[in-house]
Amino acid sequence: MNTLKYASSPYLLQHADNPVHWQEWSKETLQKAIDENKPLLISIGYAACHWCHVMEHESFSDEEVAAYMNENFVCIKVDREERPDVDRIYMDAVQIISGQGGWPLNAFALPDGRPFFAGTYFNKQQWLDILSSISSLYRNDYEKVVEYADQLTQGIRSNSLSSDLVHKNIVFNKKKYQDLFLGWKSQIDFIKGGFNRAPKFPLPVAWEFLLQYNYLTKDKDALNAVLITLDEMALGGIYDQIGGGFARYSVDANWKVPHFEKMLYDNAQLVSLYSHAYQITKKERYKEIIEQTLEFVNRELSNKSGGHYSSLNADSEGEEGKYYVWTKSEFAEATDDENRSLVGEYYQITPKGNWEHGKNILLPKNCKEIFAKEHDIDLAPFNSILKKYNGQLLVYREARVRPSTDDKILTSWNALMVVAYVDAFKALGIKQYLQSAISCAKFLETRMLNKDGSLNRNLMNDKASIVAFLDDYTLLAQSFVELYSVTFDKHWLDHSKNLIEYCIAHFMDEETGMFFYTSDISESLIARKHELTDNVIPASNSVMANVLLKLGHYYNNDNYIKQVEHMFGYVVESVKKSGLWYSNWAILMGMLTFEPFEVALLGDSAGLFNIEMQTNYLPTAIFLGGNSEDLPLLKGKLVKDETWIYVCRNKVCNLPVDNVENALEQIH
């Protein structure tokens, strides 16, 4: 009946006791629909999704609704985080139908998987009405259903056909790069940060591009856009003021009210972003956020082996955000009275609540410097007071019923954590962060990487069940490059190259030179897609191109670099027109236009010099070296008993220097 009790996904396991006869996505399930001549009902969500839980409670736990679903449909539950390939197909369907998407995603399809209708959340009565209409249409007008399915499938496939990718040969010049920001400015909220819309998502890769843009063009507006965003998020409810870490987005335009779920991928990328901003500004608040967020990840999303879990639920005790908000009486009960009124004012705690139903979100009234000055308190004592009271609040909060953890481990999201630890180490110099990066990388190497070079996507209860997708390969390859850049352990760089070669063999679209999201050994779906647009996580093709560019320089492989330029030719017009949705491609454009520096450090002090150099924000430099000439650019550069730094560009090197200051001057 309901087979989800055997699933590897915590999200699917949440539905294992539903009276709906849920099945996992499989060839056998599709065959069951064919044998029974029933349409597929495909319901897609994820463990931290609030509205997924609402629909489960209202409809999927209801005996009347479940009976109708069981009688008329073959019902499939999908965890979008485990099976993004399936999610992508049916998300395209709902976006074609309605122009928008989201989760829960509910699609109806022919037994072979071709969708003919799709939507998102429905309340119980709406859902019953839709079930009845779909069932009646399928029984009584099957030809029309097939016609809908053919049209919708054609639309889905047209988004992935190579004929839609139009290649353009381009000449890289600085003006074209500088013009990119012109299309962004009108979309940016220069008062509250982020983009001019609600809800507001952090979208870290967009701000990473603007940091690079400021570095290359000295445009102060680009830097201000980033710093305003980071400052305002730090003051908002989207940031967990006492426990560290960020929620997935805010429902308003002021970062005030979060959608309370916490995702590993957001927090990893935001650690990297705040680390880069700290390198530029040395702002103490950014340092605090990096440290607190990594404490949160280590405390609540880490296993003992170096891996990291996927998310924390938005809900606890059936209520969104209950774990995180405060009545004034709870705030008083959690804290001593010495400075309670001061801290209560700082967090804007009121009897009526600053949110809804008498509840308060911890919402700083202002940045600490201004608040302390207004109250005639030096910053250091106020920091001490706040640290003490945050500790009291955290202890009180941890006694509450905690939101559930989605404790599956995903390769791609863990790869982002490796990069986060590396970036935090470069910014703050805390050695434990480098050790955590190495520990996570070793975990992924030993648990996710197979002997034939392939990867697993997931791990749950010590078991992998899904083959990896392009984002797993490219983000892991990227993380290994970043780890090499601070350790000079070539083991990681070689792993990165091997992963990319596997992608070339098994993911490449021979017609275009772009890469499919699924490999040639993956389960066949109704369409094989290219992931091109950057979103909350950069697109797997844009990550591939950026990694290929770096590996091309590391290994002196011109074919890799030509491949990158070829790939960029397909998206150059989109980069110009669609701005933030091609942010990682825009970062690539910066690298191609200005050409990266190749910084080779050879000798006994190479590691120390390397770490000293990389405390600076140097987004267009790649670092290589150590004590052996094990890469083409290192040949002939090792001098016994001496350490030299070579700053090169396009394989042409300046005169070597023996100190960091002079090397940085050559870069700047």
Side-chain angles (χ1 to χ4, degrees):
M1 297 298 185
N2 185 330
T3 65
L4 298 188
K5 64 182 178 180
Y6 305 110
S8 61
S9 157
Y11 171 65
L12 299 188
L13 291 169
Q14 289 173 359
H15 291 264
D17 294 326
N18 291 168
V20 178
H21 296 169
W22 293 118
Q23 311 289 307
E24 289 194 70
W25 180 276
S26 67
K27 291 179 180 178
E28 291 75 17
T29 303
L30 269 62
Q31 185 60 50
K32 175 182 171 68
I34 293 170
D35 294 343
E36 297 179 7
N37 191 26
K38 289 181 179 179
L40 299 171
L41 190 166
I42 305 156
S43 183
I44 304 172
Y46 58 102
C49 168
H50 169 70
W51 288 103
C52 300
H53 303 317
V54 172
M55 193 162 181
E56 180 199 12
H57 175 73
E58 291 178 343
S59 296
F60 302 149
S61 299
D62 184 278
E63 296 284 351
E64 175 194 3
V65 177
Y68 196 91
M69 291 169 65
N70 296 336
E71 182 178 351
N72 294 282
F73 304 92
V74 170
C75 302
I76 299 176
K77 254 291 166 198
V78 176
D79 181 340
R80 67 169 293 261
E81 296 167 355
E82 277 196 340
R83 294 300 304 265
D85 57 330
V86 175
D87 176 63
R88 196 171 309 276
I89 297 293
Y90 298 103
M91 184 59 71
D92 278 358
V94 75
Q95 287 175 337
I96 290 170
I97 291 169
S98 66
Q100 55 189 343
W103 298 275
L105 194 167
N106 293 287
F108 297 88
L110 298 175
D112 61 7
R114 287 179 291 158
F116 56 88
F117 179 75
T120 53
Y121 165 78
F122 302 98
N123 65 36
K124 178 182 174 181
Q125 190 56 54
Q126 291 171 329
W127 186 237
L128 281 170
D129 291 345
I130 286 169
L131 293 174
S132 176
S133 297
I134 294 289
S135 178
S136 175
L137 187 67
Y138 190 84
R139 289 195 310 270
N140 301 319
D141 203 346
Y142 182 75
E143 289 184 1
K144 183 173 285 188
V145 170
V146 173
E147 182 182 341
Y148 288 158
D150 287 342
Q151 291 174 355
L152 199 50
T153 301
Q154 184 178 355
I156 293 167
R157 287 174 176 164
S158 70
N159 290 335
S160 63
L161 289 175
S162 59
S163 60
D164 282 355
L165 295 168
V166 180
H167 186 268
K168 183 176 181 179
N169 291 319
I170 54 173
V171 177
F172 295 98
N173 65 64
K174 295 178 181 180
K175 186 180 184 306
K176 288 182 179 179
Y177 176 81
Q178 289 172 326
D179 288 345
L180 291 180
F181 187 40
L182 297 176
W184 285 52
K185 280 192 175 182
S186 63
Q187 301 180 62
I188 294 172
D189 183 345
F190 280 95
I191 296 174
K192 298 301 291 185
F195 294 96
N196 287 315
R197 66 194 63 172
K200 273 188 175 172
F201 287 79
L203 292 174
V205 70
W207 312 113
E208 291 284 7
F209 163 65
L210 290 188
L211 288 183
Q212 184 210 58
Y213 185 90
N214 166 257
Y215 175 85
L216 292 173
T217 68
K218 311 305 178 191
D219 187 306
K220 292 182 180 179
D221 285 345
L223 180 60
N224 286 338
V226 180
L227 300 185
I228 290 167
T229 299
L230 299 188
D231 291 344
E232 291 297 324
M233 284 201 302
L235 288 171
I238 192 171
Y239 183 66
D240 184 346
Q241 302 292 331
I242 63 172
F246 291 84
R248 192 162 76 96
Y249 63 88
S250 70
V251 300
D252 58 282
N254 298 315
W255 307 110
K256 176 185 174 180
V257 180
H259 192 39
F260 289 90
E261 62 202 21
K262 286 179 169 180
M263 316 301 294
L264 182 68
Y265 62 79
D266 282 322
N267 285 284
Q269 291 177 96
L270 286 167
V271 165
S272 292
L273 180 60
Y274 275 91
S275 296
H276 295 148
Y278 179 79
Q279 288 176 306
I280 296 167
T281 66
K282 303 301 180 187
K283 190 168 185 175
E284 189 65 23
R285 182 59 176 145
Y286 297 168
K287 178 175 183 285
E288 292 173 354
I289 287 172
I290 296 163
E291 292 176 341
Q292 290 171 352
T293 300
L294 289 177
E295 285 172 9
F296 153 70
V297 170
N298 293 336
R299 183 179 67 244
E300 302 194 43
L301 290 178
S302 298
N303 72 5
K304 296 178 181 178
S305 304
H308 299 87
Y309 304 136
S310 295
S311 65
L312 284 183
N313 205 328
D315 298 6
S316 57
E317 300 182 82
E319 186 177 323
E320 184 184 9
K322 185 174 183 179
Y323 184 72
Y324 297 101
V325 297
W326 302 81
T327 63
K328 185 166 185 181
S329 61
E330 288 172 333
F331 184 83
E333 188 178 339
T335 55
D336 63 45
D337 59 5
E338 183 181 5
N339 287 293
R340 182 187 297 136
S341 62
L342 178 71
V343 176
E345 182 185 348
Y346 175 72
Y347 282 133
Q348 304 186 73
I349 304 296
T350 70
K352 291 184 178 180
N354 61 29
W355 184 33
E356 58 184 23
H357 309 306
K359 302 293 178 66
N360 293 275
I361 298 167
L362 296 181
L363 204 66
K365 190 174 183 179
N366 212 324
C367 69
K368 290 188 292 184
E369 292 82 356
I370 292 175
F371 184 85
K373 186 176 181 180
E374 287 175 345
H375 289 75
D376 200 24
I377 305 171
D378 288 339
L379 182 59
F382 181 66
N383 274 329
S384 296
I385 292 168
L386 201 57
K387 184 176 182 180
K388 171 188 171 183
Y389 278 76
N390 284 348
Q392 292 176 357
L393 291 167
L394 189 60
V395 168
Y396 185 94
R397 192 175 80 177
E398 287 179 340
R400 295 173 173 172
V401 176
R402 184 177 175 278
S404 59
T405 303
D406 184 336
D407 55 355
K408 69 175 179 291
I409 294 171
L410 297 176
T411 297
S412 55
W413 297 9
N414 273 258
L416 290 169
M417 272 311 305
V418 174
V419 177
Y421 282 123
V422 168
D423 287 334
F425 169 68
K426 290 192 292 187
L428 305 183
I430 297 173
K431 292 182 179 178
Q432 181 54 50
Y433 294 160
L434 179 58
Q435 290 305 311
S436 295
I438 294 170
S439 176
C440 187
K442 287 183 175 177
F443 173 87
L444 294 170
E445 177 188 16
T446 56
R447 304 309 308 275
M448 299 302 207
L449 185 59
N450 301 313
K451 290 181 179 179
D452 64 355
S454 66
L455 281 174
N456 301 316
R457 178 168 178 81
N458 70 326
L459 193 72
M460 180 71 188
N461 296 328
D462 220 29
K463 177 185 174 185
S465 58
I466 298 169
V467 298
F469 303 107
L470 185 62
D471 56 340
D472 297 301
Y473 285 88
T474 57
L475 289 169
L476 187 58
Q478 173 183 264
S479 75
F480 287 164
V481 168
E482 294 304 310
L483 191 55
Y484 167 79
S485 76
V486 291
T487 63
F488 290 159
D489 182 349
K490 191 166 174 285
H491 169 83
W492 300 115
L493 198 62
D494 290 338
H495 263 323
S496 180
K497 184 174 182 289
N498 291 339
L499 288 168
I500 293 303
E501 287 293 336
Y502 187 93
C503 291
I504 291 170
H506 296 284
F507 288 83
M508 183 183 282
D509 177 357
E510 296 294 341
E511 289 186 47
T512 66
M514 300 296 267
F515 292 81
F516 290 114
Y517 187 70
T518 53
S519 75
D520 56 8
I521 63 170
S522 297
E523 178 186 350
S524 179
L525 301 176
I526 65 168
R528 201 174 177 201
K529 312 287 287 181
H530 306 94
E531 184 183 60
L532 302 179
T533 54
D534 300 313
N535 207 297
V536 294
I537 298 175
S540 47
N541 267 284
S542 72
V543 178
M544 169 65 82
N546 277 280
V547 174
L548 274 170
L549 181 65
K550 290 185 177 181
L551 291 178
H553 285 273
Y554 278 123
Y555 289 97
N556 192 21
N557 188 327
D558 288 338
N559 288 331
Y560 282 179
I561 296 173
K562 289 177 183 176
Q563 174 84 5
V564 171
E565 293 172 348
H566 181 81
M567 292 173 72
F568 189 78
Y570 283 108
V571 298
V572 60
E573 293 303 320
S574 297
V575 174
K576 294 175 187 176
K577 295 174 184 175
S578 301
L580 66 105
W581 305 114
Y582 288 81
S583 301
N584 205 37
W585 292 105
I587 289 171
L588 177 68
M589 186 175 181
M591 293 284 280
L592 290 169
T593 302
F594 289 81
E595 295 188 329
F597 290 99
E598 302 142 331
V599 184
L601 304 95
L602 273 295
D604 291 339
S605 298
L608 292 174
F609 284 179
N610 180 39
I611 291 167
E612 185 181 347
M613 285 193 74
Q614 293 200 66
T615 59
N616 299 278
Y617 178 67
L618 301 168
T620 59
I622 66 172
F623 292 83
L624 63 162
N627 254 318
S628 61
E629 299 175 345
D630 52 8
L631 288 167
L633 197 64
L634 302 178
K635 301 298 183 186
K637 291 183 173 65
L638 183 63
V639 180
K640 186 177 180 181
D641 298 328
E642 296 182 31
T643 300
W644 292 96
I645 306 173
Y646 301 80
V647 176
C648 314
R649 219 172 196 174
N650 201 17
K651 306 168 195 170
V652 177
C653 300
N654 295 329
L655 289 174
V657 295
D658 61 0
N659 64 84
V660 167
E661 184 179 356
N662 287 345
L664 290 171
E665 284 179 6
Q666 290 184 356
I667 291 175
H668 293 319

